[in-house]
Amino acid sequence: MTFRRTKIVATLGPASNSPEVLEQLIIAGLDVARLNFSHGTPDDHKARAALVRELAAKHGRHVALLGDLQGPKIRIAKFENKRIELKEGDLFRLSSSHSRTAGTQEVVGIDYPALIQDCDVGDELLLDDGRVVMRVELKGADELHCRVVIGGPLSDNKGINRRGGGLTAPALTDKDKADIKVAAEMELDYLAVSFPRDAADMDYARRLLTEAGGTAWLVAKIERAEAVADDEALDGLIRASDAVMVARGDLAVEIGDAELVGIQKKIIAHARRLNKAVITATQMMESMIHSPMPTRAEVSDVANAALDYTDAVMLSAESAAGEYPVEAVQAMARVCLGAEKHPTSKQSSHRLGRTFERCDESIALATMYTANHFPGVKAIISLTESGYSPLIMSRIRSSIPIFAFTPHREAQARVALFRGVYTVPFDPASLPANKVSQAAVDELLKRGVVEPGDWVILTKGDSYHGTGGTNTMKILHVGDPMV
Ligand code: G6P
């Protein structure tokens, strides 16, 4: 039996709202549904979330829900006539005092007055993801006088970035704070924080989420140049998060596209090394917004991330607003499976030569070492409370599927993001202790994952509650009597 190890995150939107399309996305392999708080009302998101959970249950699947906060994207205001056309050499002003609805060929309002203080003469500003570039020539009290370096069309509410990053906007806006409460109410499984600058931004988001009663795991979107400026900054942000997203749109604009792939590989490696999950995102199959087939370059992009052991690859507009949302998920699934047939390494050196700090981590890593070196092992069963034990296991490169056996809805959904980890609902506490191993293996026999004669590794703790208690690894021979 072949399991796709790389998971698929797909953004929901107008193209994927109907129950029919959503059901097809789930059948095609959707693992995590992303709800983008930049669009839609809380009621829209609640309706979508309810539908995802209902349809996933109908198909016996466990699909996690990821809320994505809008964050402080800095934008220009609106134009009198919706759009203008700028030419190289034109003079153009960004003004915090100009009307927010009456931009002209010469000037447009901005909704973030601190941009003026943040910028200096000589800075390069990238508008609309870098499609239009201008250089600051003069700084007034409430406006920046710029010279257009790369011209093009500019329309209402396009984003502004500065080359090299460094704009000071705090990561959480009032809207984000309100949406954190919505996320808690919806019992979302993951919540992504946009434009975090450092660990403090993540800590603040975590405090607000906890206060609101939310249990979502927090995802830091890596999209500011300062977040990847050096290893210390990057690792600090990763450590403060439960997972990270390589948010390539804004990141590429700030650091330049030439360095993006190298930085992406680094973020994936660092996240895995620090025991966190990682999503590779943005424009992975962009042409599929209008085409039923990806380009070779897109296939290569998705495969590259899978070969680098990302936990998940993500679709944005392709599934939210494109013409072929289902085909896009199918294409991703196909490409990931294909890439996984050619692993770039069969053995993992993760944590080799390092000391372990925790008993459960020692068991998790011993399990993977054994699974990777003992031919005949077809599956790993991890009895888990929170999903932590399978997360640690899945940081090790392997082709053996890891099954998270848990009675808890949150953990069942959460592990949907982890590479090579699959959910089996299971409550060990409802069984006599000497029946647990057999009952767990029977679940895999029932699913056709193993057959008599195969080996299975099972991990658990002494008691059947409490996260962090794993202290046992059993090697089981399927078909033999088990206790
Ligand atoms: C389940 C098992 C316990 C184990 C725990 C680990 O509750 O029955 O024996 O100790 O999971 O949970 P964790 O959240 O650390 O993966």
Side-chain angles (χ1 to χ4, degrees):
M1 229 179 177
T2 311
F3 292 88
R4 171 171 45 81
R5 298 186 78 81
T6 314
K7 303 304 184 73
I8 296 175
V9 183
T11 308
L12 303 188
S16 41
N17 275 344
S18 74
E20 296 74 31
V21 174
L22 205 46
E23 187 160 18
Q24 287 184 59
L25 292 183
I26 291 170
I27 294 169
L30 173 69
D31 296 295
V32 180
R34 172 173 174 254
L35 307 169
N36 188 352
F37 282 113
S38 298
H39 306 287
T41 65
D43 284 343
D44 294 339
H45 297 308
K46 283 179 192 164
R48 271 183 203 145
L51 201 55
V52 171
R53 285 182 170 147
E54 184 193 315
L55 291 170
K58 178 176 158 193
H59 289 276
R61 295 277 309 285
H62 299 270
V63 175
L65 290 172
L66 164 81
D68 197 333
L69 298 173
Q70 181 174 29
K73 177 89 183 165
I74 299 168
R75 294 176 186 280
I76 57 169
K78 291 187 165 49
F79 292 96
E80 266 165 10
N81 299 318
K82 288 202 159 48
R83 94 189 222 152
I84 59 165
E85 188 78 30
L86 288 170
K87 286 195 301 301
E88 188 187 331
D90 283 356
L91 281 173
F92 191 72
R93 300 187 332 269
L94 300 170
S95 161
S96 59
S97 57
H98 190 78
S99 156
R100 299 289 157 89
T101 52
T104 66
Q105 189 65 38
E106 285 81 39
V107 59
V108 71
I110 44 172
D111 55 7
Y112 175 64
L115 182 71
I116 318 288
Q117 285 89 64
D118 284 354
C119 289
D120 285 312
V121 171
D123 281 357
E124 239 176 29
L125 296 176
L126 303 123
L127 290 89
D128 191 11
D129 292 340
R131 288 182 186 87
V132 171
V133 179
M134 45 187 80
R135 185 171 297 119
V136 180
E137 288 203 332
L138 193 80
K139 201 166 131 162
D142 54 5
E143 51 184 26
L144 297 170
H145 298 241
C146 306
R147 178 81 62 184
V148 174
V149 181
I150 297 177
L154 192 60
S155 53
D156 292 354
N157 301 126
K158 290 297 180 207
I160 310 177
N161 296 78
R162 181 168 68 172
R163 174 100 59 207
L167 299 180
T168 56
L172 295 178
T173 64
D174 289 344
K175 173 175 162 46
D176 295 333
K177 291 176 192 167
D179 286 338
I180 287 179
K181 292 195 179 124
V182 176
E185 210 185 304
M186 292 170 68
E187 299 182 7
L188 293 186
D189 305 301
Y190 289 95
L191 186 63
V193 178
S194 296
F195 300 99
R197 291 163 297 187
D198 51 24
D201 279 339
M202 296 309 292
D203 293 344
Y204 183 43
R206 192 178 296 283
R207 208 178 75 219
L208 295 182
L209 181 66
T210 309
E211 277 167 17
T215 55
W217 277 22
L218 284 189
V219 183
K221 290 167 71 176
I222 312 286
E223 52 189 335
R224 292 204 197 213
E226 50 268 54
V228 295
D230 52 48
D231 285 1
E232 203 183 326
L234 177 62
D235 290 353
L237 199 46
I238 295 174
R239 281 199 182 89
S241 318
D242 301 301
V244 298
M245 185 192 291
V246 191
R248 306 188 304 179
D250 283 277
L251 186 59
V253 172
E254 291 203 0
I255 65 171
D257 57 5
E259 271 200 64
L260 182 70
V261 176
I263 293 281
Q264 169 182 316
K265 284 174 186 282
K266 180 171 171 171
I267 298 171
I268 294 173
H270 281 226
R272 291 181 59 84
R273 195 179 304 149
L274 294 170
N275 296 328
K276 312 291 174 158
V278 52
I279 304 167
T280 306
T282 325
Q283 293 188 347
M284 295 213 87
M285 292 207 153
E286 184 82 354
S287 76
M288 290 196 76
I289 295 172
H290 300 298
S291 157
M293 254 179 82
T295 64
R296 291 277 172 270
E298 289 163 348
V299 167
S300 176
D301 186 32
V302 170
N304 175 52
L307 290 170
D308 284 344
Y309 296 86
T310 188
D311 283 86
V313 284
M314 189 173 113
L315 295 167
S316 309
E318 300 93 331
S319 55
E323 291 167 42
Y324 301 97
V326 178
E327 288 82 352
V329 172
Q330 287 168 339
M332 267 193 161
R334 192 173 64 231
V335 172
C336 290
L337 267 171
E340 289 162 14
K341 282 193 196 153
H342 303 277
T344 44
S345 74
K346 289 234 163 73
Q347 319 245 304
S348 182
S349 57
H350 180 66
R351 289 187 156 189
L352 272 188
R354 300 268 186 105
T355 51
F356 303 148
E357 279 147 30
R358 295 168 51 146
C359 177
D360 57 349
E361 292 188 356
S362 310
I363 295 291
L365 298 168
T367 297
M368 297 315 292
Y369 190 79
T370 308
N372 282 348
H373 291 81
F374 185 14
V377 173
K378 290 285 157 34
I380 295 159
I381 295 173
S382 171
L383 303 193
T384 181
E385 205 62 21
S386 66
Y388 186 71
S389 303
L391 170 71
I392 298 302
M393 290 176 190
S394 68
R395 300 309 85 190
I396 300 272
R397 301 171 171 203
S398 176
S399 56
I400 316 289
I402 301 162
F403 293 91
F405 277 54
T406 178
H408 306 298
R409 189 207 69 76
E410 292 88 343
Q412 288 166 2
R414 187 175 291 146
V415 303
L417 178 65
F418 306 160
R419 187 182 177 98
V421 181
Y422 316 91
T423 297
V424 175
F426 186 81
D427 184 8
S430 67
L431 296 163
N434 62 353
K435 296 271 189 279
V436 169
S437 299
Q438 186 64 61
V441 169
D442 285 349
E443 290 290 335
L444 294 188
L445 277 164
K446 203 166 77 190
R447 288 168 170 73
V449 176
V450 296
E451 51 188 40
D454 288 340
W455 293 95
V456 168
I457 306 180
L458 181 145
T459 68
K460 64 188 197 67
D462 282 342
S463 83
Y464 290 125
H465 309 283
T467 183
T470 297
N471 65 2
T472 311
M473 164 186 141
K474 290 174 96 173
I475 304 179
L476 303 167
H477 198 216
V478 180
D480 288 359
M482 291 170 196
V483 287

